[in-house]
Amino acid sequence: MMVNEATVRTFARTHDGGAVAGAAAGVIDAVTAGRMVKSYLGEEYLDKSVINDGAQGLSLAETTLYSNGDILDIVATYKAHPFFRIAAFTDFSLEGRFYGHAFTGYDPDEGSGNVANAEELVYITEHGTAYHKSLDCSHLRLSVRQVSKADITTARNVDGSKYYPCEYCGSRAGNTVYITNYGTRYHSNRSCGGIKRTIKTVPISEAIGRTPCSECAR
C-alpha cells in the first residue's frame, strides 16, 4: 500500500470540498492525518488487506506538517502478512511515504482563473542567501559530515570553496566540526540553525536581496 498524491489531496481537504480544520493555519496533527487517510482508503478495504489489525494497524504517528512551508511529510507505518500463511514466513514491517506540497488554495479542477497572472513561487531557507526554483536542487539537500577541526583548513566544498566558522556556533568549535557539501561554514553543533533546512515557499517578490541559485534558478 502506498500513501499517494490522491490521498494527500483528500487529506488536505474534507470530503465536502472544504478545508480540513486547522489546515488554514497549516497545523494538522498525526491523529487528523490518520483519520483522513483511513477515511480516503476506507476502513473496510484496510480491514481486508494484508495489514496486521487492518485499519487499526496503520500508524501515521511519524507524519510531519510544516506550517511555514506548506510541506507535507506523510509517513504510514504498518506490519503486513501474506494472504496465505507460509511456514517460516513471519510478518514484516513496511512504510509508505509521501513528501510534497499541501493544498495551498489553487485547484486545477476549478478552472484556470488568473493562473496566467499568478506570481512565480520560489523556495528559500532561513539562513540561505539564494532562492531556488526546484525542491530537488542539490543545494537544498543537506549532506552533513563530520571532520576533524585540524583538517578544516584544507577541506573544500563541492564548488572548491573554503570553510569558515559559522557565525552562530563556529566560535565554540572543539576537535570535531560538521560541514556540508555545498556550504561554506563549519559548525560545532550538528543541530545548529545554520545546518538545518527549513524550506519555505514564497512569491519571488519576497526573495528580494537573495541571489538566484546557480544550479536551479539561472
Side-chain angles (χ1 to χ4, degrees):
M1 187 206 74
M2 286 181 56
V3 179
N4 57 25
E5 188 174 359
T7 307
V8 174
R9 285 198 296 267
T10 298
F11 168 69
R13 305 186 72 180
T14 60
H15 289 297
D16 61 3
V20 173
V27 180
I28 311 174
D29 59 22
V31 175
T32 304
R35 185 172 65 250
M36 297 302 297
V37 170
K38 290 175 185 178
S39 175
Y40 174 81
L41 295 173
E43 293 199 12
E44 182 179 357
Y45 164 78
L46 292 172
D47 289 340
K48 293 180 179 179
S49 70
V50 296
I51 298 176
N52 288 5
D53 300 322
Q56 296 302 315
L58 184 65
S59 171
L60 284 95
E62 297 179 34
T63 292
T64 304
L65 296 105
Y66 303 95
S67 60
N68 60 352
D70 73 358
I71 298 295
L72 292 174
D73 187 8
I74 299 178
V75 182
T77 56
Y78 52 95
K79 285 192 173 183
H81 58 78
F83 277 110
F84 303 101
R85 292 292 182 179
I86 303 173
F89 193 92
T90 60
D91 298 343
F92 49 94
S93 298
L94 291 171
E95 177 183 289
R97 189 168 198 161
F98 174 90
Y99 183 88
H101 286 283
F103 176 76
T104 56
Y106 170 67
D107 187 342
D109 296 330
E110 295 177 356
S112 58
N114 295 320
V115 175
N117 299 322
E119 188 172 0
E120 181 181 12
L121 297 178
V122 295
Y123 307 102
I124 62 173
T125 59
E126 185 177 0
H127 299 293
T129 58
Y131 64 81
H132 307 264
K133 293 188 176 182
S134 172
L135 271 177
D136 294 324
C137 179
S138 61
H139 291 266
L140 291 177
R141 296 196 304 269
L142 286 178
S143 178
V144 183
R145 57 193 174 98
Q146 178 179 306
V147 299
S148 168
K149 173 70 179 304
D151 296 332
I152 200 66
T153 55
T154 57
R156 298 291 185 273
N157 69 10
V158 172
D159 295 326
S161 300
K162 293 182 178 181
Y163 291 96
Y164 300 94
C166 168
E167 56 266 41
Y168 306 105
C169 69
S171 62
R172 301 189 297 274
N175 295 328
T176 300
V177 294
Y178 302 92
I179 59 177
T180 61
N181 287 347
Y182 287 93
T184 58
R185 297 288 185 269
Y186 63 80
H187 309 265
S188 63
N189 187 346
R190 192 185 180 95
S191 299
C192 173
I195 294 181
K196 287 184 176 180
R197 280 286 191 260
T198 300
I199 303 172
K200 299 181 180 180
T201 306
V202 299
I204 194 169
S205 61
E206 294 184 18
I208 295 175
R210 296 173 184 260
T211 58
C213 170
S214 58
E215 179 176 318
C216 68
R218 292 295 187 186

